[in-house]
Amino acid sequence: MLTVICQTPRELRAEERPRPTPGPDEVLLRVKRVGVCGTDLHIFTGDQPYLAYPRVMGHELSGIVESAPAKSGLRAGDAAFVMPYLSCGRCIACRQGKTNCCVNIQVLGVHRDGAFTEYLCVPSAFVHKAEGVSLDQAAMVEFLSIGAHAVRRGTVHAGQRVLVVGAGPIGMAAAIFSRQQGAAVTTLDTRRDRLDFCDRHLRVDSTVQIGDDDEARLSALTGGEFFDVVFDATGNARAMERGFKFVAHGGTYVMVSVVRDAITFSDPEFHKRETTLLGSRNATMQDFETVLSAMRAGGVPTDALNTHRMPLARVPDEFATLLDPSQGVVKAIVEC
């Protein structure tokens, strides 16, 4: 089977590997679609803090079941999506239902080889029927779930003012699900094309481009009060630190980004606002179900979000083009 490996940063190699043999509690999937995530781009550029090379990337996937244990409820031919955060079920986080931050978590495409391949074995507990959605949509559930999880972490509700800093796919997901909760959403980004996309396809309430007057514009939008909930989805340490000043008194700051750096902030400013500071990692099945329900109801513009496609065989040659801002990539899908 064809498999694409990230050997070292910026070095992708295609090779033939034997088709895997599933264990007694594993599903053998014929991979059909793989979404390219910011995590994959960071792996490619060498900026992913949880990874050792070489690695087969890819954790946003859908496919067709080739074989499955009888007790799984899956049958050959079923369309399926994968929960790529393989949790242990035993640790302190899992015992609280917080499988997204399992102590022993193994994320496909990060801690263990992922879906840039034609066949993949996955423990049956993490494979689910993709009912009422297309294979393309099923491969987009994971990144949207990260945004849905962040919105749930931030307890966003109707009437609140929400700021999403970083209008990439994860930020867009946070904007989508904040709007579905009835919040007024503003997106902040350096890229005008991303902001225009949010305005046109996500129907956000306002957009602000980062520049010398951005703080003044955000202040004017909120009568000087700033935002009840701020989401950082930039992947930039300086931006994460700056975001504290956009949180209203009594507000919440949700950091969805992860960076290698230490993050610092002004303690007096933090305390006078009584800021609630939250990390948001991955997602749970509750968040996946939220996204699937929204997709089935037509509440997620998946056709617009999927801006680019490429076959698996072309990934070594074409993957680097996804880093080029002029390409206007929002979500690229690899076809296997």
Side-chain angles (χ1 to χ4, degrees), residues 114-229:
F116 278 22
T117 187
E118 293 182 298
Y119 292 89
L120 186 67
C121 290
V122 182
S124 62
F126 301 94
V127 184
H128 304 271
K129 288 184 183 180
E131 297 179 311
V133 296
S134 68
L135 285 170
D136 281 357
Q137 289 176 316
M140 299 170 78
V141 171
E142 190 271 344
F143 90 86
L144 290 161
S145 296
I146 292 175
H149 182 74
V151 169
R152 183 160 65 91
R153 287 279 285 156
T155 60
V156 173
H157 56 77
Q160 287 189 313
R161 291 186 292 236
V162 166
L163 175 66
V164 178
V165 187
I170 300 299
M172 290 181 187
I176 289 167
F177 290 98
S178 291
R179 287 197 72 250
Q180 291 194 4
Q181 292 300 111
V185 177
T186 297
T187 52
L188 175 68
D189 200 275
T190 58
R191 288 175 53 177
R192 186 72 252 171
D193 63 317
R194 285 279 176 89
L195 296 173
D196 290 343
F197 186 98
C198 291
D199 183 49
R200 183 168 61 253
H201 296 292
L202 309 188
R203 307 297 184 189
V204 298
D205 296 88
S206 52
T207 63
V208 174
Q209 190 168 8
I210 291 173
D212 293 340
D213 65 341
D214 57 2
E215 186 175 350
R217 293 180 63 194
L218 294 171
S219 177
L221 283 171
T222 59
E225 293 181 331
F226 291 99
F227 296 87
D228 301 294
V229 185

Side-chain angles (χ1 to χ4, degrees), residues 5 39 48 58 63 82 93 120 146 148 153 189 216 246 269 285 293:
I5 304 151
T39 297
Q48 218 291 332
V82 171
L120 186 67
I146 292 175
R153 287 279 285 156
D189 200 275
F246 302 139
E269 292 295 323
M285 272 308 299
S293 295

Side-chain angles (χ1 to χ4, degrees), residues 20-77:
T21 300
D25 191 36
E26 289 187 325
V27 174
L28 177 63
L29 278 177
R30 171 72 166 94
V31 179
K32 299 298 288 183
R33 305 284 190 274
V34 190
V36 178
C37 177
T39 297
D40 301 314
L41 298 175
H42 287 304
I43 292 169
F44 180 69
T45 57
D47 297 324
Q48 218 291 332
Y50 301 130
L51 184 115
Y53 297 90
R55 179 63 67 223
V56 178
M57 300 185 295
H59 60 274
E60 302 177 6
L61 71 143
S62 64
I64 303 297
V65 174
E66 290 280 315
S67 65
K71 65 179 182 180
S72 69
L74 297 163
R75 297 292 181 268

